[in-house]
């Protein structure tokens, strides 16, 4: 008995391929996939790749799913391979029943009926009655090869024409109705009319390449412009994607990137232009079931929609729909076409390179989500901005993976706060009207340090690098700070190179001191000279020298800086490096801790985080007093 397709899909979903194949092949992570030496032929260089739902060897061409791998490596027939995997997955293999046998036989019959109908409609397209359909496709720039490849056809202009054409094959009107090709005539028992007529026909296939339904485009002014076949035993609109059978093969072989377009003609035009990973939903928006199918093919598809209002609305719906489905191993990118242009328009006018440029400019979901949610919002008032901020946080909260949700929340809120930050005024030549020094204005007897001449502000990447250098310099001059700021210091993501290496070394050094002190075996102290000697002895002398170079360092990095001033300065640079969204979360947590403990240390943390957040929102960099950028 043939096993139900839904059971086999469930079995494949419950059988992760990397662990299964890893029993026989040594696999190593390669981006989002795994790779190893092929078990089906002798090779020294790995060309065997394992994806979420299939494997493929680019050396010998072997490919398949969990069932196929078990059959090939264990020498088992299909049924036994299924039973073994089902036992491991905790599934029970369905037993044969008269009802199930009848359902499977009916499905086979429906596929046969649909295939016969497709052949008839392909013939009609090139007959005199289908001339207007063929001319339409040719005007749209489709070649004869493309028309044949996608099996495009013409439905005929007369009611009952399809039933008459298929009657010699023994296909009855009842079967056509079950396949979604005809519908009963009201008031006339046993009478049927064709579901499609006077339409260009697009066969819809499942991912195995079997025809499951049709879509039709009317020529002229009739409505609806596009019409899909009704739901049947073999066709579910919300679970099917047009072109998936061809696209998955192209993506599978590494020839294309999976692109989600808007409709039939977009998919066909993209395939003809060489973008063979194109698919389309059978409606106005993607469904969760369709996204699951897409992610089984690739973890990073590109959603490509028109730049008009309808396209933006569809993109917004899709972005919100995928949030509860996201994971660290699967996401979505958004590419936007020029307003008023379809893929075939763009390719026809400017060539495939123009569409490739659109793909190259695709935005990750986190960026596109912000843009789509901000579109049309009243952000000019405090109420409007507060509502938008709440919506951003709520959108991130819909992501089930907590770590991923936190990263999205941080990215969205960082951009939100950045959008509200005013442009920093330019300082007048000569230093007049300069910024007051942090924490020192107005104190009796205070003598501000001399101002350096104005300088060009470094680029964003160099600014962050210089901020990290200043923060590290303060610690190197005052290692006792680690007792106060170790937890916060560990949260920072410092630039790669000297900064990140020193961060790891300082945290490890401090942790070692704490352990030895706890066991009364302390051989060192929180002394700057000891710390410098330790760094030089562990091969970080070059990184240490880069930090301690005098040019541009803040006064808090000098050995004679006062403890309070030093601590304020460290938190100042911490704020710039932490980022606005994360600082907001830190401040909320600090306030919660203060309410719970009412400790002085918690109060100090709230004050310093508030000051750091204020400085960041004022647009300061911490480098206004003359620090210069440096390469690590």
């Amino acid at each position: 008995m043939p096993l139900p397709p839904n059971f086999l899909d469930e079995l494949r979903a419950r059988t992760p391929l990397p662990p299964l194949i890893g029993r026989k092949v040594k696999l190593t992570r390669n981006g989002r996939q795994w790779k190893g030496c092929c078990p089906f032929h002798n090779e020294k260089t790995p060309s065997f790749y394992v994806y979420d739902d299939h494997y493929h060897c680019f050396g010998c061409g072997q490919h398949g799913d969990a069932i196929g791998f078990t059959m090939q490596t264990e020498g088992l027939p299909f049924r036994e391979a299924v039973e073994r995997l089902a036992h491991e997955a905790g599934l029970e293999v369905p037993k044969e029943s008269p009802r199930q046998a009848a359902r499977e036989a009916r499905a086979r019959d429906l596929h046969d009926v649909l295939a016969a109908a497709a052949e008839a409609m392909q013939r009609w397209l090139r007959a005199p009655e289908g001339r207007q359909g063929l001319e339409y496709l040719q005007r749209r720039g489709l070649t004869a090869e493309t028309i044949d490849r996608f099996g495009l056809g013409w439905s005929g202009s007369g009611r009952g024409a399809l039933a008459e054409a298929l009657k010699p094959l023994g296909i009855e009107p009842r079967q056509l109705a079950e396949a979604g090709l005809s519908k009963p005539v009201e008031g006339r028992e046993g009478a049927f009319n064709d579901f499609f007529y006077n339409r260009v026909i697009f066969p819809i296939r499942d991912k195995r390449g079997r025809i499951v339904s049709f879509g039709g485009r009317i020529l002229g002014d009739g409505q609806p412009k596009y019409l899909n076949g009704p739901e049947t035993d073999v066709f579910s609109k919300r679970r099917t994607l047009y072109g998936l059978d061809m696209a998955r093969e192209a993506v599978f072989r590494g020839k294309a990137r999976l692109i989600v377009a808007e409709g039939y003609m977009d998919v066909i035009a993209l395939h003809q232009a060489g973008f063979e990973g194109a698919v389309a939903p059978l409606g106005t928006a993607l469904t969760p079931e369709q996204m699951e199918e897409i992610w089984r093919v690739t973890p990073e598809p590109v959603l490509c929609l028109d730049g008009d209002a309808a396209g933006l609305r569809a993109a917004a719906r899709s972005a919100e729909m995928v949030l509860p489905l996201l994971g660290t191993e699967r996401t979505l990118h958004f590419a936007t076409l020029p307003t008023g242009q379809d893929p075939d328009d763009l390719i026809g006018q400017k060539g495939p390179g123009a569409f490739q440029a659109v793909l190259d400019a695709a935005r990750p979901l986190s960026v596109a989500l912000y843009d789509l949610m901000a579109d049309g919002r009243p952000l000019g008032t405090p109420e409007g901005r507060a509502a938008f901020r709440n919506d951003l946080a709520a959108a991130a909260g819909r992501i089930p993976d907590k770590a991923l949700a936190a990263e999205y929340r941080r990215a969205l809120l960082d951009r939100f706060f950045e959008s509200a930050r005013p442009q920093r005024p330019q300082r007048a030549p000569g230093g007049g009207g300069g910024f007051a020094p942090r924490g020192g204005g107005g104190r009796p007897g205070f003598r501000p340090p001399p101002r350096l001449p104005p300088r060009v502000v470094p680029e964003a990447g160099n600014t962050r690098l210089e901020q990290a250098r200043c923060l590290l310099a303060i610690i190197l001059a005052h290692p006792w700070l680690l007792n106060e700021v170790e937890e916060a210091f560990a949260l920072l993501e410092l630039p790669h190179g000297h900064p990140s290496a020193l961060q790891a070394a300082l945290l490890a050094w401090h942790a070692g001191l704490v352990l030895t002190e706890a066991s009364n075996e302390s051989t060192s102290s929180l002394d700057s000279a000891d710390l410098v000697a330790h760094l030089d002895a562990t091969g970080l002398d070059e990184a240490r020298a880069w930090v301690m170079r005098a040019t541009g360092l803040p006064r808090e990095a000098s050995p004679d800086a006062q403890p309070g001033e030093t601590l304020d300065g460290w938190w100042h640079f911490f704020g710039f490096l932490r980022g606005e969204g994360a600082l907001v979360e830190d401040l909320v947590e600090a306030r919660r801790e203060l309410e719970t403990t009412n400790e002085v240390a918690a109060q100090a943390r709230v004050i310093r985080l508030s000051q750091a957040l204020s400085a960041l929102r004022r647009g300061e960099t911490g480098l206004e007093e003359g620090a210069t950028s440096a390469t690590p």
Side-chain angles (χ1 to χ4, degrees):
M1 164 193 105
L3 293 170
N6 58 345
F7 165 76
L8 295 177
D9 288 342
E10 176 71 12
L11 177 61
R12 294 182 181 103
R14 289 203 191 184
T15 309
L17 269 180
L20 175 69
I21 295 178
R23 300 174 190 173
K24 298 184 178 295
V25 179
K26 184 178 179 180
L27 298 175
T28 57
R29 174 72 75 172
N30 184 60
R32 294 182 180 271
Q33 297 84 39
W34 299 79
K35 69 176 181 179
C37 290
C38 180
F40 305 114
H41 78 287
N42 294 324
E43 64 174 3
K44 295 181 180 180
T45 302
S47 60
F48 182 77
Y49 284 75
V50 180
Y51 305 86
D52 286 342
D53 66 343
H54 67 277
Y55 61 88
H56 181 77
C57 178
F58 291 92
C60 66
Q62 286 281 5
H63 62 272
D65 57 13
I67 300 171
F69 185 82
T70 303
M71 292 173 63
Q72 289 177 292
T73 56
E74 302 291 341
L76 297 175
F78 176 80
R79 183 83 185 196
E80 290 184 24
V82 168
E83 290 174 349
R84 176 177 296 187
L85 293 175
H87 176 74
E88 294 181 0
L91 293 174
E92 183 177 349
V93 179
K95 296 180 180 179
E96 186 172 6
S97 68
R99 179 179 297 179
Q100 179 62 36
R103 186 181 297 116
E104 294 297 328
R106 186 166 63 253
R108 288 196 300 274
D109 290 344
L110 292 182
H111 286 304
D112 291 342
V113 169
L114 290 162
E119 291 180 5
M121 289 187 280
Q122 288 171 43
R123 291 195 302 271
W124 287 343
L125 180 68
R126 287 183 167 82
E129 59 190 292
R131 180 185 297 260
Q132 59 177 322
L134 182 60
E135 289 177 348
Y136 164 78
L137 295 174
Q138 291 171 340
R139 285 197 304 273
R140 294 295 297 264
L142 301 189
T143 65
E145 181 183 359
T146 297
I147 292 171
D148 290 341
R149 184 184 178 204
F150 282 86
L152 306 184
W154 176 254
S155 63
S157 56
R159 299 176 185 271
L162 186 60
E164 188 65 28
L166 300 183
K167 187 176 181 179
L169 300 177
I171 296 176
E172 303 173 0
R174 171 190 57 80
Q175 293 174 290
L176 293 177
E178 291 176 354
L181 292 168
S182 65
K183 52 188 177 181
V185 178
E186 288 188 20
R188 294 174 55 191
E189 186 174 352
F192 296 87
N193 280 336
D194 293 346
F195 190 85
F196 298 101
Y197 55 92
N198 281 334
R199 290 180 181 267
V200 174
I201 291 297
F202 303 82
I204 300 171
R205 296 179 172 85
D206 63 13
K207 61 186 177 183
R208 295 168 60 183
R210 300 173 302 182
I211 297 177
V212 293
S213 188
F214 296 92
R217 188 197 191 284
I218 198 168
L219 300 184
D221 298 328
Q223 292 295 329
K225 182 178 178 181
Y226 282 96
L227 179 67
N228 293 313
E231 300 273 318
T232 67
D233 286 347
V234 296
F235 175 59
S236 171
K237 178 180 173 181
R238 65 182 296 106
R239 290 179 169 81
T240 307
L241 287 150
Y242 183 70
L244 183 61
D245 58 316
M246 297 180 183
R248 74 193 300 264
E249 184 68 18
V251 176
F252 181 76
R253 296 185 180 278
K255 294 169 56 179
R257 190 174 182 183
L258 195 142
I259 305 162
V260 184
E262 286 202 17
Y264 306 122
M265 287 302 300
D266 292 331
V267 170
I268 296 172
L270 287 170
H271 277 255
Q272 180 171 282
F275 300 95
E276 298 182 3
V279 301
L282 303 177
T284 57
L286 280 168
T287 66
E289 292 86 352
Q290 289 167 338
M291 275 308 310
E292 294 290 350
E293 288 294 335
I294 289 168
W295 277 324
R296 288 190 179 102
V297 178
T298 180
E300 294 187 355
V302 179
L303 181 59
C304 183
L305 298 171
D306 294 345
D308 56 16
L312 292 175
R313 286 195 298 271
R317 288 195 300 269
S318 299
E320 299 235 5
M321 178 272 294
V322 301
L323 288 175
L325 310 176
L326 285 184
T328 56
E329 295 297 321
R330 58 189 197 176
T331 186
L332 184 62
H333 293 259
F334 287 77
T336 304
L337 289 161
T339 302
Q341 287 193 313
D342 293 328
D344 52 338
D345 295 330
L346 181 62
I347 292 169
Q349 294 172 16
K350 299 183 179 180
F355 185 79
Q356 184 62 54
V358 170
L359 282 186
D360 293 341
R363 298 164 294 164
L365 176 59
S366 60
V367 175
L369 179 64
Y370 184 97
D371 293 336
L372 292 167
M373 292 182 67
D375 186 52
R377 297 289 292 258
L379 301 180
T381 64
E383 294 82 2
R385 288 187 58 77
F388 181 47
R389 175 180 166 184
N390 290 338
D391 288 346
L392 290 174
R398 296 179 62 200
I399 301 173
D401 186 289
K402 299 302 181 186
L404 184 60
E407 290 298 324
Y408 262 76
R409 188 173 189 273
R410 176 180 176 180
L412 293 171
L413 290 182
D414 275 353
R415 190 168 172 196
F416 172 81
F417 291 124
E418 182 68 28
S419 69
R421 184 174 296 141
Q423 293 295 321
R424 187 164 178 77
Q426 296 293 322
R427 203 184 322 190
F435 297 97
R438 293 186 305 274
R443 291 208 306 266
F446 174 77
R447 296 182 62 190
R451 297 275 183 192
L452 294 179
R455 65 179 181 86
V456 177
V457 177
E459 295 179 359
N462 287 336
T463 298
R464 185 170 177 81
L465 185 62
E466 193 61 25
Q467 289 165 344
R469 188 172 83 96
C470 291
L471 178 136
L472 290 167
I474 296 173
I475 293 179
L476 291 184
H478 307 281
W480 58 266
L481 280 171
L482 289 170
N483 285 336
E484 302 279 340
V485 302
E486 178 187 28
E487 182 179 352
F489 185 40
L491 292 175
L492 291 176
E493 295 181 10
L494 296 187
H496 182 70
H498 290 336
S500 59
L502 282 172
Q503 180 187 29
L506 290 171
L507 290 170
W509 176 75
H510 182 252
L513 288 182
V514 172
L515 288 174
T516 54
E517 185 176 313
S519 60
N520 295 320
E521 298 175 359
S522 179
T523 58
S524 186
S525 65
L526 288 171
D527 179 79
S528 180
D530 289 343
L531 174 55
V532 168
H534 169 77
L535 293 175
D536 289 353
T538 53
L540 291 171
D541 50 327
E542 183 180 341
R544 187 267 307 162
W546 168 75
V547 169
M548 298 179 71
R549 196 181 66 211
T551 305
L553 289 180
R555 61 182 177 276
E556 295 90 345
S558 64
D560 57 352
Q562 295 300 309
E565 182 184 24
T566 300
L567 199 55
D568 286 344
W570 190 91
W571 281 103
H572 192 73
F573 285 104
F574 171 85
F576 300 127
L577 292 162
R578 181 72 167 138
E580 198 155 357
L583 270 182
V584 171
E585 295 183 355
D586 292 345
L587 185 56
V588 169
E589 182 62 31
R591 285 172 174 160
R592 188 181 297 119
E593 182 183 353
L594 178 59
E595 292 174 1
T596 303
T597 65
N598 199 30
E599 293 179 350
V600 174
Q603 183 181 26
R605 183 175 175 85
V606 169
I607 293 172
R608 291 191 174 99
L609 286 171
S610 298
Q611 292 172 340
L613 188 58
S614 296
L616 192 58
R617 287 175 173 173
R618 289 195 301 269
E620 297 179 14
T621 66
L623 308 178
E624 287 78 15
E625 296 179 15
T628 56
S629 60
T631 302

